[in-house]
Amino acid sequence: MQGPRDWDATTYDRVADPMTRWGSAVLDRLPLGGDETVLDAGCGTGRVTEQLAARLPDGRVIALDASPSMVAEAERRLARFGDRVAYLVADLGRPFSLPGDRPADAILSTATFHWVPDHDALFRNLAAVVQPGGRLVAQCGGFGNIATIQAVLATIGDGWLGDVHFETPEATVERLATAGFVDIETWLQPEPTTFEPGEPFADYLRTVVLGSHLARLPADEHDAFVQAVVTGIGKPVIDYVRLNIVARRG
Ligand SMILES: C[S@@+](CC[C@H](N)C(=O)[O-])C[C@H]1O[C@@H](n2cnc3c(N)ncnc32)[C@H](O)[C@@H]1O
């Protein structure tokens, strides 16, 4: 099976305002004393990681992502934090270890879990790298996310809906409990988001939502594919639905 793809980190960094806004609210749910070590699981270009690092003046952040380009961009953004931030290119779907083999005190993750195909493996792998009692505070695409776009995608080309999956709160509670988490809360949050029409919207779709679709197509078919999706959606609005997760390692 193919592993996670590399992302266009430069464009992602420019267009990631919605994820950064949601990520700030998710971070607010993570109580911190300021001296913890926190794993950011799927750090992207580090726009949320940077807010996390600012809350840990005596602590550390481990910025993990499967995309080498994302991690390289995060390193540039977070350089001012020096050795308070460690970087790790790793696939959350496979077992991994943290620097020094020391477990984290907590895990933050934003806009990432829906890209990891096997959530049983994901939560098992996260449980293995956090201290007993440590918190997992996360948000990802949830059940019903981008349903309008998926309906359009089903009508284009071979109808492939992408390598994402959007889980329910109920199934997620079960999986987290099986992986050893307790005090679990999960809930859906609709976040319909309006974009600037034209090239900004197309750019956003190309980089964030349709990246995996375009990776399967020859470059000279990319623009037509993106345009077909833009036309199919109609208004420059994405019907985002986020799945929130708060839990503790038992
Ligand atoms: C939409 S970005 C979110 C980045 C950042 N957390 C934010 O909120 O802006 C999704 C990130 O998940 C990463 N990702 C996807 N699959 C992954 C996997 N299996 N393991 C680790 N990271 C993964 C991608 O490389 C990408 O950086």
Side-chain angles (χ1 to χ4, degrees), residues 4 7 12 19 42-44 48 64-67 70 90-92 110-112 115-116:
W7 283 55
Y12 181 79
M19 284 66 106
C43 63
V48 179
L64 177 154
D65 202 281
S67 159
M70 289 296 218
D91 178 353
L92 293 166
T110 57
T112 296
W115 297 103
V116 184

CSV table of all heavy atoms in Angstrom, one decimal, residues 4 7 12 19 42-44 48 64-67 70 90-92 110-112 115-116, ligand 1:
chain,number,residue,atom,x,y,z
A,4,PRO,N,1.8,7.9,3.2
A,4,PRO,CA,1.3,9.2,3.1
A,4,PRO,C,2.1,10.0,2.0
A,4,PRO,O,3.3,9.8,1.8
A,4,PRO,CB,1.6,9.8,4.5
A,4,PRO,CG,1.9,8.6,5.3
A,4,PRO,CD,2.3,7.5,4.5
A,7,TRP,N,3.5,16.9,0.7
A,7,TRP,CA,2.6,18.0,0.4
A,7,TRP,C,3.3,19.2,-0.2
A,7,TRP,O,4.5,19.3,0.0
A,7,TRP,CB,1.9,18.5,1.7
A,7,TRP,CG,0.8,17.6,2.2
A,7,TRP,CD1,0.9,16.3,2.5
A,7,TRP,CD2,-0.5,18.0,2.6
A,7,TRP,NE1,-0.3,15.8,3.0
A,7,TRP,CE2,-1.2,16.9,3.0
A,7,TRP,CE3,-1.2,19.2,2.5
A,7,TRP,CZ2,-2.6,16.9,3.4
A,7,TRP,CZ3,-2.6,19.3,2.9
A,7,TRP,CH2,-3.2,18.1,3.4
A,12,TYR,N,0.5,25.3,1.1
A,12,TYR,CA,-0.3,25.0,2.3
A,12,TYR,C,-0.1,26.1,3.4
A,12,TYR,O,-1.1,26.6,4.0
A,12,TYR,CB,0.1,23.6,2.9
A,12,TYR,CG,-0.8,23.3,4.1
A,12,TYR,CD1,-2.1,22.8,4.0
A,12,TYR,CD2,-0.3,23.6,5.4
A,12,TYR,CE1,-2.9,22.6,5.1
A,12,TYR,CE2,-1.2,23.4,6.5
A,12,TYR,CZ,-2.4,22.9,6.4
A,12,TYR,OH,-3.2,22.7,7.4
A,19,MET,N,-7.5,26.0,9.0
A,19,MET,CA,-7.0,25.0,9.9
A,19,MET,C,-6.3,25.7,11.1
A,19,MET,O,-6.3,25.2,12.2
A,19,MET,CB,-5.9,24.1,9.2
A,19,MET,CG,-6.5,23.1,8.3
A,19,MET,SD,-7.4,23.9,6.9
A,19,MET,CE,-6.4,23.6,5.6
A,42,GLY,N,1.2,15.5,13.3
A,42,GLY,CA,0.7,16.0,12.0
A,42,GLY,C,0.8,17.5,12.1
A,42,GLY,O,-0.1,18.2,11.9
A,43,CYS,N,2.1,18.0,12.2
A,43,CYS,CA,2.3,19.4,12.5
A,43,CYS,C,2.2,20.3,11.3
A,43,CYS,O,2.1,21.5,11.4
A,43,CYS,CB,3.7,19.6,13.1
A,43,CYS,SG,5.1,19.1,12.0
A,44,GLY,N,2.2,19.7,10.1
A,44,GLY,CA,2.1,20.5,8.9
A,44,GLY,C,3.3,21.5,8.9
A,44,GLY,O,4.4,21.2,9.2
A,48,VAL,N,0.1,25.9,13.9
A,48,VAL,CA,-0.5,25.7,15.2
A,48,VAL,C,0.6,25.3,16.2
A,48,VAL,O,0.6,25.7,17.3
A,48,VAL,CB,-1.6,24.5,15.1
A,48,VAL,CG1,-2.2,24.2,16.4
A,48,VAL,CG2,-2.7,24.9,14.1
A,64,LEU,N,5.9,16.4,14.6
A,64,LEU,CA,5.9,15.2,13.8
A,64,LEU,C,5.0,15.3,12.5
A,64,LEU,O,3.9,15.8,12.7
A,64,LEU,CB,5.4,14.0,14.6
A,64,LEU,CG,5.3,12.6,13.9
A,64,LEU,CD1,5.4,11.5,14.9
A,64,LEU,CD2,4.0,12.4,13.1
A,65,ASP,N,5.5,14.9,11.4
A,65,ASP,CA,4.7,14.9,10.2
A,65,ASP,C,5.2,13.8,9.2
A,65,ASP,O,6.5,13.6,9.2
A,65,ASP,CB,4.6,16.2,9.5
A,65,ASP,CG,3.4,16.4,8.6
A,65,ASP,OD1,3.4,15.8,7.5
A,65,ASP,OD2,2.4,17.0,9.1
A,66,ALA,N,4.4,13.2,8.4
A,66,ALA,CA,4.9,12.3,7.4
A,66,ALA,C,5.5,12.9,6.2
A,66,ALA,O,6.2,12.3,5.4
A,66,ALA,CB,3.7,11.4,7.0
A,67,SER,N,5.2,14.2,6.0
A,67,SER,CA,5.6,14.9,4.8
A,67,SER,C,6.9,15.6,5.0
A,67,SER,O,7.0,16.6,5.8
A,67,SER,CB,4.5,15.8,4.3
A,67,SER,OG,5.1,16.8,3.5
A,70,MET,N,6.7,19.4,4.6
A,70,MET,CA,6.0,20.0,5.7
A,70,MET,C,6.9,20.2,6.9
A,70,MET,O,7.0,21.3,7.5
A,70,MET,CB,4.8,19.2,6.2
A,70,MET,CG,3.6,19.2,5.2
A,70,MET,SD,2.9,20.9,4.9
A,70,MET,CE,1.1,20.5,4.8
A,90,ALA,N,7.6,11.0,10.4
A,90,ALA,CA,7.1,9.6,10.7
A,90,ALA,C,5.6,9.5,10.3
A,90,ALA,O,4.9,10.5,10.2
A,90,ALA,CB,7.2,9.4,12.2
A,91,ASP,N,5.2,8.2,10.0
A,91,ASP,CA,3.9,7.9,9.6
A,91,ASP,C,3.1,7.5,10.9
A,91,ASP,O,3.5,6.5,11.6
A,91,ASP,CB,3.9,6.8,8.6
A,91,ASP,CG,2.6,6.3,8.2
A,91,ASP,OD1,1.6,6.7,8.7
A,91,ASP,OD2,2.5,5.4,7.3
A,92,LEU,N,2.1,8.2,11.2
A,92,LEU,CA,1.3,8.0,12.5
A,92,LEU,C,0.6,6.6,12.4
A,92,LEU,O,0.1,6.1,13.4
A,92,LEU,CB,0.2,9.0,12.7
A,92,LEU,CG,0.8,10.4,13.0
A,92,LEU,CD1,-0.3,11.5,12.9
A,92,LEU,CD2,1.3,10.4,14.5
A,110,THR,N,-4.1,18.4,14.9
A,110,THR,CA,-5.2,19.1,14.2
A,110,THR,C,-5.2,18.8,12.7
A,110,THR,O,-4.1,18.8,12.1
A,110,THR,CB,-5.0,20.6,14.5
A,110,THR,OG1,-3.7,21.1,14.1
A,110,THR,CG2,-5.2,21.0,16.0
A,111,ALA,N,-6.4,18.6,12.2
A,111,ALA,CA,-6.6,18.4,10.8
A,111,ALA,C,-5.7,17.3,10.1
A,111,ALA,O,-5.3,17.4,9.0
A,111,ALA,CB,-6.3,19.8,10.1
A,112,THR,N,-5.5,16.2,10.9
A,112,THR,CA,-4.6,15.2,10.4
A,112,THR,C,-5.2,13.8,10.4
A,112,THR,O,-5.0,13.0,9.5
A,112,THR,CB,-3.3,15.2,11.2
A,112,THR,OG1,-2.6,16.5,11.0
A,112,THR,CG2,-2.4,14.1,10.9
A,115,TRP,N,-6.5,11.6,7.5
A,115,TRP,CA,-5.6,11.2,6.4
A,115,TRP,C,-4.9,9.8,6.8
A,115,TRP,O,-4.2,9.3,6.0
A,115,TRP,CB,-4.4,12.2,6.2
A,115,TRP,CG,-4.9,13.5,5.8
A,115,TRP,CD1,-5.0,14.7,6.5
A,115,TRP,CD2,-5.3,13.9,4.4
A,115,TRP,NE1,-5.5,15.7,5.7
A,115,TRP,CE2,-5.6,15.3,4.4
A,115,TRP,CE3,-5.3,13.2,3.2
A,115,TRP,CZ2,-6.0,15.9,3.3
A,115,TRP,CZ3,-5.8,13.9,2.1
A,115,TRP,CH2,-6.1,15.2,2.1
A,116,VAL,N,-5.1,9.4,8.0
A,116,VAL,CA,-4.4,8.1,8.4
A,116,VAL,C,-5.5,7.0,8.3
A,116,VAL,O,-6.5,7.0,8.9
A,116,VAL,CB,-4.0,8.2,9.9
A,116,VAL,CG1,-3.3,7.0,10.3
A,116,VAL,CG2,-3.1,9.5,10.1
B,1,LIG,C1,-4.2,19.6,6.7
B,1,LIG,S1,-2.6,19.3,7.2
B,1,LIG,C2,-2.7,19.9,8.9
B,1,LIG,C3,-1.4,20.4,9.5
B,1,LIG,C4,-1.5,21.2,10.8
B,1,LIG,N1,-1.8,20.3,11.9
B,1,LIG,C5,-2.5,22.3,10.7
B,1,LIG,O1,-3.5,22.2,11.4
B,1,LIG,O2,-2.3,23.2,9.9
B,1,LIG,C6,-2.5,17.6,7.4
B,1,LIG,C7,-1.2,17.0,7.7
B,1,LIG,O3,-1.2,15.6,8.0
B,1,LIG,C8,0.0,15.0,7.6
B,1,LIG,N2,-0.3,13.6,7.5
B,1,LIG,C9,-1.1,12.9,6.6
B,1,LIG,N3,-1.0,11.6,6.8
B,1,LIG,C10,-0.1,11.4,7.8
B,1,LIG,C11,0.4,10.3,8.5
B,1,LIG,N4,0.0,9.1,8.2
B,1,LIG,N5,1.3,10.4,9.5
B,1,LIG,C12,1.7,11.7,9.8
B,1,LIG,N6,1.3,12.8,9.2
B,1,LIG,C13,0.4,12.7,8.3
B,1,LIG,C14,0.2,15.7,6.3
B,1,LIG,O4,1.5,15.5,5.8
B,1,LIG,C15,-0.2,17.2,6.6
B,1,LIG,O5,1.0,17.9,7.0
